[in-house]
Amino acid sequence: MEWKRKDLIGLEDLKKEEIEIILDVANSFKDVSKRSVKKVPALRGKTVVNLFFEPSTRTRTSFELAAKRLSADVLSFDVSSSSVAKGETMVDTAKNIEAMKVDCFIIRHFVSGAPLIISQNVSASVINAGDGCHEHPTQALLDLFTVRERFGKIKGLRISIIGDILHSRVARSNIWGFKKLGAEVIVCGPPPLIPKEIEKTGVKITFDIDFAIENSDIIYLLRLQRERQKENFLPSLKEYSFLYGIDRERYEKIKEKAFIMHPGPMNRGIEIKSEVAEEERTLILEQVTNGIAIRMAVLYLTIGRKI
Ligand code: CP
């Protein structure tokens, strides 16, 4: 199978084989970041624009470094000081930047569906860097890559995603990705933060955090998305931390060959105790490292070859 897409909007749209192509291409790019000269000419002459309508540390930096390591020119567009502040629409902004002959937009937006709308209005490639509560495809791809690298496979593993499933685009993309590659996915968290319809994606629901921790290969912790919560879902953060946070006692109960993952940013002391975040069986910074190879692969596949 060949990669034929102009855009990457979400993992829900992708076939298993397309996900595997991205992981394999990422594998071939991983070594570039280990060299003293961290650059290959694959995207020389191409222009990539970071268009972030929401804050980001990891995704924005990672896309910028990935594009630069492929020799593309990169523009990180500052939305807050742009004409968006004067009322210019998101689509007009993208069309005006496209008129300057760019090849790819990396879009993060607080509205679910915003990257899809832009992709329908420009000829350049559009890569979703996280939209509302919808999807964060490159986060899930780097998570799949990290798990595949550690275990040598994904099929047959059990992944428990713990926390605020309701507001998490990371959870949604990971559910699609891990299910398509044959893993069992369990979601766990406070009942108001677990949407009932999530079962339609083939995941199992448990409210028993200790079952999830003791019986999973990957314990994937989520941040409470307080910026997206429109009402009070929890009595207190202290209670959440007590009921669903990973402290040393819970960490000691994970399976011998299990790992803890987190997409970042972490709320230390809430979903994960600070000392656990530094433990040997956490993959948090490894995930970040692998993000570069994944984003190099996605950029290369979408704009590096003739479609
Ligand atoms: N994981 C993630 O999306 O982090 P940022 O918000 O810092 O990009």
Side-chain angles (χ1 to χ4, degrees):
M1 178 170 195
E2 265 201 89
W3 183 268
K4 292 199 174 127
R5 293 175 188 268
K6 166 178 98 70
D7 309 307
L8 176 64
I9 303 298
L11 295 199
E12 182 177 5
D13 308 331
L14 296 193
K15 293 190 173 72
K16 170 181 179 270
E17 292 76 15
E18 290 175 297
I19 295 174
E20 285 171 342
I21 289 174
I22 298 172
L23 301 186
D24 291 344
V25 173
N27 205 32
S28 69
F29 279 130
K30 185 155 175 181
D31 276 350
V32 174
S33 296
K34 295 179 188 161
R35 297 180 195 162
S36 57
V37 179
K38 301 176 183 60
K39 230 176 184 36
V40 289
L43 294 188
R44 198 162 51 198
K46 303 284 184 186
T47 306
V48 174
V49 178
N50 266 336
L51 198 49
F52 277 53
F53 292 82
E54 235 191 24
S56 166
T57 296
R58 279 146 291 270
T59 313
R60 182 174 168 146
T61 313
S62 180
F63 266 115
E64 186 163 338
L65 287 174
K68 285 181 172 166
R69 286 180 191 174
L70 292 168
S71 305
D73 295 315
V74 187
L75 173 72
S76 274
F77 183 79
D78 182 5
V79 171
S80 63
S81 64
S82 75
S83 291
V84 170
K86 299 180 208 162
E88 187 162 55
T89 67
M90 168 188 84
V91 169
D92 277 339
T93 301
K95 284 174 124 171
N96 277 269
I97 297 173
E98 187 181 39
M100 300 178 212
K101 307 297 173 204
V102 305
D103 300 286
C104 182
F105 289 101
I106 315 295
I107 313 275
R108 171 166 288 191
H109 206 287
F110 47 87
V111 174
S112 298
L116 177 65
I117 293 169
I118 294 178
S119 74
Q120 291 163 342
N121 283 279
V122 298
S123 307
S125 286
V126 171
I127 299 170
N128 180 4
D131 61 329
C133 304
H134 174 227
E135 283 225 35
H136 191 347
T138 57
Q139 177 66 49
L141 288 164
L142 71 89
D143 294 332
L144 290 165
F145 184 91
T146 304
V147 171
R148 193 176 79 161
E149 205 175 47
R150 278 285 178 166
F151 287 86
K153 62 171 188 177
I154 288 172
K155 192 171 180 179
L157 297 178
R158 179 184 279 160
I159 319 295
S160 282
I161 306 177
I162 297 171
D164 179 2
I165 310 294
L166 181 64
H167 298 96
S168 177
R169 56 197 178 207
V170 172
R172 279 178 188 74
S173 288
N174 265 312
I175 287 168
W176 292 121
F178 277 104
K179 289 294 299 172
K180 284 180 190 204
L181 295 198
E184 180 191 353
V185 181
I186 295 177
V187 295
C188 176
L193 294 176
I194 306 283
K196 188 81 183 95
E197 63 274 14
I198 204 83
E199 277 179 314
K200 289 184 195 147
T201 61
V203 304
K204 294 181 184 137
I205 296 176
T206 182
F207 301 110
D208 182 348
I209 176 86
D210 293 310
F211 170 82
I213 284 174
E214 290 165 27
N215 295 287
S216 301
D217 301 295
I218 294 291
I219 295 115
Y220 196 102
L221 305 179
L222 297 173
R223 181 175 66 87
L224 282 176
Q225 316 278 301
R226 279 178 286 173
E227 72 279 18
R228 291 193 203 114
Q229 294 179 4
K230 294 188 173 51
E231 52 188 280
N232 273 337
F233 286 92
L234 302 165
S236 73
L237 290 179
K238 203 169 163 191
E239 187 179 82
Y240 178 82
S241 177
F242 176 71
L243 291 173
Y244 294 100
I246 306 293
D247 56 12
R248 179 156 299 285
E249 195 183 332
R250 285 191 170 132
Y251 175 77
E252 301 294 348
K253 289 183 185 164
I254 70 175
K255 289 198 315 188
E256 197 187 326
K257 289 188 179 151
F259 291 99
I260 290 180
M261 297 176 75
H262 192 304
M266 283 185 281
N267 282 322
R268 287 175 184 258
I270 300 177
E271 68 271 12
I272 187 164
K273 286 278 187 228
S274 206
E275 69 269 19
V276 174
E278 312 304 331
E279 276 294 344
E280 203 183 337
R281 282 187 288 152
T282 61
L283 301 179
I284 299 164
L285 292 179
E286 201 168 304
Q287 291 168 259
V288 176
T289 301
N290 288 335
I292 300 270
I294 281 293
R295 289 167 179 130
M296 287 172 84
V298 169
L299 286 167
Y300 175 72
L301 288 166
T302 49
I303 61 170
R305 298 144 11 110
K306 282 227 174 320
I307 294 174

